[in-house]
Amino acid sequence: EPVVETADLTRVYRSATGETYALRGVDLVLLPGSLTVVAGPSGSGKSSLLTLLSARERPSAGELRVLGSDVAGASAGLLRRLRHRRIGYVPQRASTGLFPHLTAGDHVRQVAAWRGDRHADVHAVLDAVGLAPRAGHRPATMSGGEQQRLAVAMALVARPALVVADEPTAELDHAHADRVLDALAVAAEEGSAVVLSSHDPRVTERAGRLLRLRDGVLSSETAQSQETVAVI
Ligand code: ADP
Ligand code: ADP
């Protein structure tokens, strides 16, 4: 049973000055236990795609099924429940999703509660992204990279079926980026469908499956495996 299924997925932004096709005709299936990286230059549609896959927006045209729900037809309340209970999401700018009065530990506990898991091991999740020593800190005293890792911990706690991460290593140094990628890979090994965007080669080389977006079109796909195929 696919976690996400799209057919001819299209996203158009309309404004007074015209329309922008951010995505055109995207066909995509995400299965449980998969790690997918969406690569592509700035403006190619990565954020637009991840926003749709995480049920935060509705498609302009085409089909989008997320965790069994038709996103175009579902009520706002259903989509919100879906997001809170079953989808982990790392926004491109982590600070937008953080609450000034809550500590890092509170954030993770709060999200675990949304997911119906009051016994989640908050310390273990923070430790997985190297934030255990920061558990008692509030966002104002955390660096951008720490906030980004906190957003990853929130996305992963209580093992949501779908994890969507928009450039989750953008603000991280090499060592912390590796740690975050390890944590995302573990979630995929444990059965989540994990999809992230990046234009960092260090990230794309670790993809189980690599998709490329160009001008809103999913232009090529590489299935990477242990057997390396040299293309010259
Ligand atoms: P990426 O994440 O790869 O940088 P985006 O999905 O952010 O790409 O953007 C894809 C295209 O859609 C770009 O041309 C961008 O300018 C446009 N776009 C994105 N969001 C909006 C918006 N809210 N209003 C108008 N155009 C937008
Ligand atoms: P909504 O409650 O309608 O989903 P938001 O997406 O703005 O509204 O949620 C508020 C904040 O809660 C987010 O910015 C984010 O920090 C956190 N959050 C929301 N959904 C998730 C999620 N699925 N996984 C992790 N954190 C989330």
Side-chain angles (χ1 to χ4, degrees):
E1 173 89 351
V3 176
V4 171
E5 210 169 355
T6 83
D8 202 19
L9 184 64
T10 300
R11 184 73 167 93
V12 190
Y13 297 103
R14 296 199 164 83
S15 72
T17 51
E19 44 187 39
T20 304
Y21 275 80
L23 295 172
R24 330 169 180 245
V26 170
D27 297 321
L28 178 61
V29 173
L30 300 181
L31 296 174
S34 60
L35 180 67
T36 304
V37 175
V38 179
S42 180
S44 59
K46 301 183 298 297
S47 285
S48 298
L49 180 59
L50 267 50
T51 300
L52 289 168
L53 299 183
S54 58
R56 311 177 80 74
E57 299 273 356
R58 295 170 202 270
S60 308
E63 284 165 42
L64 174 60
R65 286 189 79 74
V66 176
L67 293 162
S69 294
D70 167 26
V71 172
S75 70
L78 176 77
L79 293 181
R80 193 157 201 273
R81 275 197 302 283
L82 206 59
R83 289 199 301 273
H84 281 186
R85 300 187 62 90
R86 304 187 64 196
I87 303 174
Y89 178 70
V90 181
Q92 192 164 31
R93 274 182 292 125
S95 60
T96 57
L98 302 179
F99 307 96
H101 57 290
L102 297 185
T103 66
D106 293 336
H107 278 89
V108 176
R109 246 183 309 277
Q110 172 68 66
V111 176
W114 289 349
R115 297 191 182 136
D117 185 353
R118 290 178 191 283
H119 306 288
D121 191 340
V122 170
H123 178 84
V125 177
L126 287 173
D127 191 47
V129 298
L131 272 187
R134 296 299 219 197
H137 285 244
R138 293 186 172 78
T141 65
M142 298 169 68
S143 70
E146 287 172 341
Q147 293 182 2
Q148 188 158 45
R149 285 183 282 136
L150 173 56
V152 172
M154 291 160 68
L156 292 178
V157 74
R159 303 184 192 195
L162 173 61
V163 176
V164 178
D166 200 345
E167 308 219 20
T169 63
E171 297 187 57
L172 305 184
D173 61 37
H174 208 134
H176 283 126
D178 275 347
R179 199 145 178 179
V180 159
L181 290 171
D182 287 343
L184 292 166
V186 166
E189 278 161 22
E190 290 179 350
S192 299
V194 180
V195 57
L196 54 142
S197 64
S198 182
H199 44 237
D200 181 347
R202 288 178 310 181
V203 176
T204 53
E205 76 189 8
R206 292 195 52 178
R209 179 187 186 201
L210 180 60
L211 307 174
R212 287 194 186 280
L213 265 176
R214 184 159 208 103
D215 295 333
V217 178
L218 217 45
S219 62
S220 76
E221 179 170 345
T222 324
Q224 299 181 348
S225 69
Q226 307 297 56
E227 309 148 58
T228 306
V229 180
V231 181
I232 299 168

